[in-house]
Amino acid sequence: MNDLALLLTPEGRALLDEVRDTAPAQELAVATRLRRDHPAELVSAALGQARLRQRAAAKFGAEDAGRMFFTPDGVEQSTRARVAAYRARRFAELGVTSVADLCCGIGGDAIALARAGIRVLAVDRDPVTAAVARANADALGLAGLIEVREADVTEVDTAGYDAVFVDPARRGGRGRIFDPEAYSPPLSWAVGAARSAPRAALKIAPGIPHEAVPTEAGAEWISDGGDVKEAVLWFGTGAAGTVRATLLPGPRTLPGRGLPDPQVRAVGRYLYEPDGAVIRAHLVAEVAEEVGGGLLDATIAYVTADELRPTAFASAYEITDRLPFNVKRLKALLREREVGILTVKKRGSAVEPEELRRKVRPQGPHAATVFLTRVAGAPTMLIGSPARPSGPGAA
């Protein structure tokens, strides 16, 4: 709290501008020089904040991160801005004009909601975190739409708000928490808060079992740039029991249609690797139907097909070789084809990609992708490369 107060002074703000682009290797020399004219505590706080802002740029963009304030936990646990903006747009499309953001952290979601024109009550029980959220609302010119309150979220009356958003803490002193009832607050409390609101969204870990999703909620898995970021449980949206996967940027959304598991079939010319959000949402069958394919193995989320069909929900590869798992044979094949750029992907294999790469020692100007997987239960290597459309209009 004291560090934040120092940084919010005119001297602190000026110092933050001065150290904005300081590289880690330069910190000692910069600190030594600045301490001749500024208090050591302020110099240390400014350099620490500059370091956090540099880390936060990947989530918030350089422009916003360069004006915001962060804590180490805030950088680690906050929602990526693109994901928060997408969720805020969904709230706005539902006609929501006010949201109680419970467990607001440093304010990333509150900022996205306010930018969507939604009035926000942002609540966090940690005084430093709440102070940072307040400073961020002010720094981005959103203080008129965001009220930050330091309080226990379980004691906050949300009756005057159109919707509730809850992002329970999923990390503790020992790292990531996997038991939803060990979240802070527990998932059961968050579900109760959602049920009492006209509309609600609960941000949860993407690994939540489908059977743990309340029957009155719609579940959405979200990925950004191919990385699965979160699952969201939506209440009061008229989508009870539905499942969907959303890929950002886009957004591109794949709704579940309750299809049966795809049939297992022989390896075709193409392999499709569904996006992680599609897999988490159990929508591989929807992708298989879209591309006219089936599974390589009943327990593996790889789809194979004879034709190349465009889909936003899976990456397509053209398969050139199929081998039983054998490192020596793979090494010989890669040497023969002068493959030096090797991408290793795996599902259903205990072999680590880096371990395999060390053993085959790829060398040469060409590139290839090897899939370590199972085909009809047998350990198999499939070699190929990203598929490229051909014919009229192809790039």
Side-chain angles (χ1 to χ4, degrees), residues 209-293:
H210 281 230
E211 57 268 23
V213 175
T215 55
E216 68 269 43
E220 179 177 30
W221 278 261
I222 302 173
S223 68
D224 184 24
D227 296 327
V228 184
K229 292 301 176 185
E230 63 183 57
V232 184
L233 304 183
W234 293 93
F235 293 77
T237 64
T242 63
V243 173
R244 54 195 267 163
T246 295
L247 283 56
L248 302 175
R252 301 181 300 278
T253 296
L254 179 67
R257 292 183 284 120
L259 299 179
D261 291 341
Q263 295 293 314
V264 176
R265 52 150 291 172
V267 178
R269 181 176 177 183
Y270 297 98
L271 180 148
Y272 292 85
E273 180 184 30
D275 183 88
V278 171
I279 296 172
R280 293 284 194 176
H282 296 179
L283 299 181
V284 174
E286 279 72 3
V287 169
E289 183 177 79
E290 190 171 300
V291 301

Side-chain angles (χ1 to χ4, degrees), residues 83-110:
V83 178
Y86 162 73
R87 205 184 315 102
R89 285 195 302 272
R90 279 210 68 188
F91 268 124
E93 289 164 1
L94 290 167
V96 169
T97 61
S98 61
V99 171
D101 177 4
L102 308 180
C103 310
C104 70
I106 62 168
D109 287 288

